[in-house]
Structure formats: C-alpha cells, structure tokens
Amino acid sequence: MDKFVIEGGHRLCGRVKISGAKNGSLAMMPAVLLAPGVYHLKNTPNLRDVWTMSRLLGSMGVFCELNDNNLFMDASQIKSYEAPYEHVKMMRASFYVLGPLVARYGTAKVSLPGGCAWGPRPVDLHLKGLEKLGAEISIENGYVVAKAEKLKGAKFHFDISSVGATGNIMMAATLAQGTTLLTNAAIEPEITSLARMLVKMGAKIEGIGTSQLIIDGVAELHPVDDETIPDRIEAATFLIAAAMTGGRIELEHTNPYHLASVLQKLEESGCNIDVTSDNILLEMDNEPKPVDITTSVYPGIPTDIQAQWLAFMLKANGISKIIDTIYTDRFKHVPELRRLGANIDLQENTAIVQGGKQLSGATVMSSDLRASASLILAALIAEGQSEVLRVYHIDRGYENIEKKLTSLGAVIKRVKTDLI
Ligand code: UD1
C-alpha cells in the first residue's frame, strides 16, 4: 500500500492541466448499457474509480479500453445484468447501472451499497423513482432485484436533490414508454453533461440544466462519441492548495462557470483571481482571512470540497465555521488534522476552526477520497515532514496528484509501505 511523504512549507507556483471529472465519467459510462455499439469518451481521467467502473461494465460484457484519456467502450453484447457486491462495495457509483439495465433488459440485480466511511448513504430515491416508472423492486440477499416488462413514463419528485438518483432515473426514463416528469432533479454539471450525452444518443430530454426534466421515452438509442467535462473538484483542490501556500497558479482546461461559488469564497479569503474562458489564474499574496462555508447542492459550495476548505482555514488567522448540509457526518479528516496540531471543534455537522496556528508534520491516515485531499493540503503547510497513509483513497479521484503537485513546487513522494 502506498503512502505520501510530504515536506511542508513550499509555495505552489505554476500551471496545471485539470483532468476530466471523475463524477462526470462515472455517470456517462453506464449509459452505454442503453444502446449497443462502440462509444468513445474523450478526456476520461485515468483513475481507480474509472477502472472499477470499467471492470464492472466488463463483467457485463462491455469491452473497455482506456488509452491516453480516450475511453473506448464496446457495448455490442451484454451478457449479464448483475452488479456484484465486489464492485459495488468498492464504489457506490456502480449503482448507476441499475436504471439502464432495467430500462433496456427488463431485469437487473445490483448489490446494495451499504454505508460508507463517513456514514449512511441511502439509495431509497433511486428505488422509489424506478418503482414510479413501473419497476418491481425486491431486496434479496443484499441485492436489489428490479424487474419490468417495459418501464412507463411517470411523474417523480425527488424529496432530496440527488445526483446519483437523478442520473439513474433519467437514464431509465429515456427508454420508458411515454413521458416522465422529474422535479427537484439534480443540476450538478456532471448530471447535465450526462443528459447532453443521452440527447446525442437520441433521447428526448427537455429542461436540461434545470431541476425539472421532461423525458419523452424513445424505442431505441444509438452509441456516440462524447467528452467528459473538466473536474471542478480537482480544480477547486488545486486552487485551495495554491491559496493556502501563498502561491500563484494557473489552471488550464477548466470550467470557471462550474466553480463560481468556490471562486467567490476564495476571493473573500483574499485571493486575486482572473478568469478567462477555460483558465483560472489565482494569486495569493495576503494572509488568508477566515471565511465560513455551508455546503449545498449545485451551484452552491460542493460537499466534495468541504474537507479541503477546512484544511485551508487552518491557515487563516481567526475563527471560521464549516457546515456540511449534504453529508452531515463527513468529518473523518478532523481527528487526523488534529494530529497535525489543528484546533477544530466539531459540533454535529459544523466544524469550528480556530486557524492561524503553525501545524507540525505528523503521520496521518486517509479515510476517504476528499479527506485524503484535505490531509495532503494540510501537510503542505505543516512544518517538517508528514506522512499520509492509505493514499489509495486519493487514487480513486485525483489523476497523477503527486506529479501535478511536484510540478508546482511541492515536495511530495509516493512510497510503498507494508503499513495498512
Ligand atoms: C454524488 C457524488 C459525490 C458527491 C455527492 C453530493 C458521484 C459518483 N458522487 O454522490 O462525490 O459528494 O453527489 O454532491 O457523482 N440521498 C438520499 N436517498 C438517496 C440518494 C441520496 O437520501 O436515494 C441523500 C444523501 O444521503 C445525501 C443527498 O441525498 O444527503 C445527496 O446525495 P447524492 O446527490 O445522491 O450523492 P451521490 O450521487 O451518492
């Protein structure tokens, strides 16, 4: 198992190219189950989660090959309609296959994901939505079994805006008979890009980019070439890293529009930001000011940057409040950050950070993807050397993170270790 050894205290300066969005590719890849043929997804990040999705689709008969961020998928022959526990337990996004399978083949068996490192993550909305479209759902031996001769268009309101459930039900509805109306649908850019891909495939979807989607089912879809959007979470992570080290960074191949809420908060903290069509230049030559954040659905502050922002606020002299309204238990990084000397009071879904105290290097343990990013950022400003263990979590969602950080001036090394 790998760990990172990081020497703190170096400014990050330079340019970095942002990769394709993990959550974008993971939403688009299962769409190949909706129509036979060969697909080409450009700008696919070379990440563990993409490999997991490729293996899952491969187990169903989809041939997947990732070459220089070009993902080729041949979905001509699907031989299994099952997503086994071994895949779903590694990555909850595996659940995305449920909607397309039941829509096209009338049957699907997908392992229930269970909880995750930071608490329960239910799938009730995925199941309720599919039931509304006429699927018969039962839970058998830890698996969701869904059956439907032909899904039928229906009205479905998401009680909570859910990225995954919107993607799943939207994919299913494209092949249902009749019209589906989805309200309070997620409008995260990764879902919007999935909707655009489905339209290219021949789906009829109105209201893309809004929380009300009207989907007219069609008899069949066709394969397409498409491209994954830039990863807004990776971009935000690098911007925060530059800001907290007093650096200057230029992000290439990003979408500033997707990052509006984060850029505003960075400006409030004292960063100078200049934006062009797909570049963001950030310069921080001030001491960062404490800035509170509250995570919410898009276009609000993403829960996926809560942990990184918390690390940033350790550098800001004063008190800041970080509230996560999406995943209220998502604070596994807090005890590890305290090992670096952080002063954080955790009260339910609110972290109160007393920043401005110099952190000191220590060995810390990653518990999940964004928690790992937070620990790496904190190690970049800690005095001396830190070790971040279990970096396989970071490999799920950041392409070449140590190479990118090194090119910006960070001192970070990947080391093999027997420690788990
Ligand atoms: C996706 C992202 C994840 C991000 C999250 C929130 C992917 C692969 N993952 O996860 O990185 O942190 O969106 O932006 O794209 N909920 C229910 N019932 C359900 C489904 C969700 O109650 O059936 C709740 C969740 O507990 C959570 C909220 O809805 O409080 C949002 O979750 P959701 O948007 O579904 O997250 P994911 O799609 O799992």
Side-chain angles (χ1 to χ4, degrees):
M1 206 158 296
D2 297 354
K3 66 178 178 185
F4 283 145
V5 179
I6 300 170
E7 184 189 288
H10 300 274
R11 279 181 81 213
L12 297 195
C13 292
R15 275 184 190 193
V16 69
K17 182 173 177 257
I18 294 306
S19 299
K22 168 183 86 79
N23 290 348
S25 297
L26 293 180
M28 291 160 101
M29 290 171 71
V32 306
L33 296 169
L34 291 167
V38 178
Y39 297 73
H40 174 194
L41 264 194
K42 285 188 224 155
N43 201 33
T44 304
N46 192 352
L47 300 170
R48 258 169 39 103
D49 274 9
V50 166
W51 307 340
T52 303
M53 184 61 87
S54 298
R55 272 200 292 273
L56 169 62
L57 293 173
S59 75
M60 296 172 174
V62 181
F63 172 78
C64 301
E65 190 179 61
L66 183 59
N67 232 326
D68 282 340
N69 300 117
N70 286 299
L71 177 64
F72 295 92
M73 290 175 287
D74 185 345
S76 301
Q77 277 178 342
I78 304 301
K79 55 177 200 254
S80 152
Y81 314 126
E82 181 172 335
Y85 181 58
E86 62 182 279
H87 295 294
V88 183
K89 74 169 190 237
M90 294 192 43
M91 189 187 66
R92 297 174 45 87
S94 308
F95 210 69
Y96 268 133
V97 300
L98 182 66
L101 283 177
V102 72
R104 174 137 174 251
Y105 298 99
T107 179
K109 188 175 168 193
V110 178
S111 169
L112 270 172
C116 85
W118 73 76
R121 291 183 68 182
V123 288
D124 55 311
L125 294 171
H126 300 241
L127 304 185
K128 273 190 202 156
L130 285 175
E131 275 179 333
K132 255 302 177 77
L133 295 183
E136 269 178 37
I137 308 255
S138 56
I139 309 292
E140 295 170 19
N141 310 109
Y143 278 75
V144 174
V145 178
K147 295 211 180 296
E149 232 160 69
K150 183 77 188 159
L151 293 179
K152 297 217 165 47
K155 289 186 185 140
F156 184 67
H157 178 79
F158 294 93
D159 288 339
I160 300 173
S161 172
S162 159
V163 171
T166 301
N168 230 334
I169 310 305
M170 177 170 65
M171 284 193 274
T174 59
L175 288 180
Q177 217 167 48
T179 303
T180 298
L181 172 66
L182 301 179
T183 49
N184 198 27
I187 56 166
E188 270 65 8
E190 296 75 21
I191 289 303
T192 302
S193 74
L194 167 64
R196 297 215 165 96
M197 173 181 178
L198 294 169
V199 167
K200 270 181 146 184
M201 289 170 67
K204 294 198 173 140
I205 307 176
E206 276 176 40
I208 295 177
T210 76
S211 59
Q212 179 163 307
L213 297 172
I214 302 163
I215 305 160
D216 275 325
V218 294
E220 56 180 29
L221 299 169
H222 55 80
V224 286
D225 292 351
D226 211 322
E227 183 167 349
T228 303
I229 58 170
D231 196 314
R232 61 197 168 104
I233 308 301
E234 187 201 16
T237 304
F238 277 100
L239 291 171
I240 293 170
M244 63 199 281
T245 61
R248 184 181 192 281
I249 193 173
E250 188 174 350
L251 302 187
E252 295 175 341
H253 197 255
T254 184
N255 186 333
Y257 182 72
H258 292 165
L259 285 156
S261 60
V262 179
L263 294 180
Q264 181 155 312
K265 289 289 175 186
L266 283 164
E267 280 180 336
E268 283 173 29
S269 78
C271 298
N272 297 315
I273 295 178
D274 200 17
V275 161
T276 53
S277 63
D278 69 348
N279 275 34
I280 301 174
L281 177 67
L282 176 147
E283 197 163 8
M284 181 59 144
D285 29 51
N286 306 304
E287 279 305 310
K289 293 184 206 128
V291 175
D292 300 345
I293 60 161
T294 300
T295 67
S296 60
V297 295
Y298 186 81
I301 301 283
T303 172
D304 284 350
I305 68 129
Q306 175 259 106
Q308 300 89 312
W309 193 268
L310 203 159
F312 179 26
M313 287 301 105
L314 296 173
K315 180 79 181 170
N317 202 354
I319 295 179
S320 53
K321 261 194 201 168
I322 287 144
I323 304 175
D324 201 325
T325 67
I326 306 290
Y327 289 116
T328 51
D329 293 336
R330 191 179 199 177
F331 288 99
K332 288 279 184 281
H333 39 291
V334 167
E336 298 300 309
L337 290 169
R338 286 189 187 130
R339 304 199 70 251
L340 295 165
N343 186 345
I344 306 165
D345 181 22
L346 194 53
Q347 296 173 8
E348 295 176 354
N349 69 337
T350 304
I352 300 154
V353 180
Q354 170 71 64
K357 184 178 154 223
Q358 175 62 52
L359 302 181
S360 58
T363 299
V364 288
M365 177 96 79
S366 308
S367 55
D368 62 78
L369 170 57
R370 306 303 170 187
S372 329
S374 158
L375 297 177
I376 291 171
L377 297 192
L380 292 175
I381 56 162
E383 197 166 45
Q385 186 170 293
S386 297
E387 295 196 347
V388 180
L389 307 183
R390 296 194 178 173
V391 298
Y392 61 86
H393 290 295
I394 202 106
D395 295 333
R396 289 187 55 184
Y398 289 86
E399 191 177 46
N400 297 327
I401 189 164
E402 73 269 34
K403 282 196 193 130
K404 289 186 181 182
L405 285 172
T406 303
S407 77
L408 294 169
V411 179
I412 173 167
K413 238 182 5 198
R414 183 183 286 261
V415 176
K416 294 242 171 281
T417 163
D418 295 333
L419 289 175
I420 53 161

